[in-house]
């Protein structure tokens, strides 16, 4: 059984948990067993990843990520001190 980071629809927390493919849809995973809350660590790691990519992309004002078929855009901008 594989471990994955999953988002709880009820609590909006990020968990590291064992998963297995759903019997009805193999692209959907079902959590099995215990769940370890990794919300803060996951967000901190993704934020640092975003900052590193933004720095590598400078002097552009923003770094964006888009996912095919998703109407949302993740954007990081650097705050300018005025």
């Amino acid at each position: 059984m594989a471990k994955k980071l999953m988002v709880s629809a009820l609590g909006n927390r990020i968990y590291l948990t064992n998963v297995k493919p759903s019997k009805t849809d193999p692209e959907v995973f079902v959590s099995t067993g215990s769940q370890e809350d990794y919300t803060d660590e996951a967000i901190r790691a993704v934020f640092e990843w975003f900052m590193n990519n933004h720095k590598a992309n400078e002097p552009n004002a923003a770094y964006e990520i888009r996912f095919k078929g998703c109407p949302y855009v993740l954007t990081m901008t650097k705050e300018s001190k005025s």
Side-chain angles (χ1 to χ4, degrees):
M1 213 169 291
K3 284 197 175 227
K4 286 182 73 86
L5 287 174
M6 304 285 288
V7 178
S8 167
L10 295 175
N12 201 32
R13 306 296 294 170
I14 300 170
Y15 292 102
L16 179 64
T17 185
N18 288 317
V19 296
K20 65 179 183 181
S22 167
K23 291 178 183 176
T24 57
D25 185 351
E27 296 202 12
V28 173
F29 291 94
V30 178
S31 174
T32 60
S34 65
Q35 300 175 339
E36 297 176 63
D37 187 346
Y38 273 75
T39 305
D40 292 340
E41 292 90 342
I43 292 171
R44 189 175 297 113
V46 170
F47 194 83
E48 186 174 340
W49 179 89
F50 247 106
M51 287 189 307
N52 291 337
N53 280 283
H54 187 282
K55 288 175 189 174
N57 196 45
E58 287 179 332
N60 294 336
Y63 181 76
E64 296 183 345
I65 298 176
R66 299 172 187 269
F67 292 95
K68 187 176 182 179
C70 180
Y72 296 95
V73 178
L74 289 172
T75 305
M76 174 168 273
T77 57
K78 186 176 181 181
E79 184 175 45
S80 63
K81 296 182 181 184
S82 19

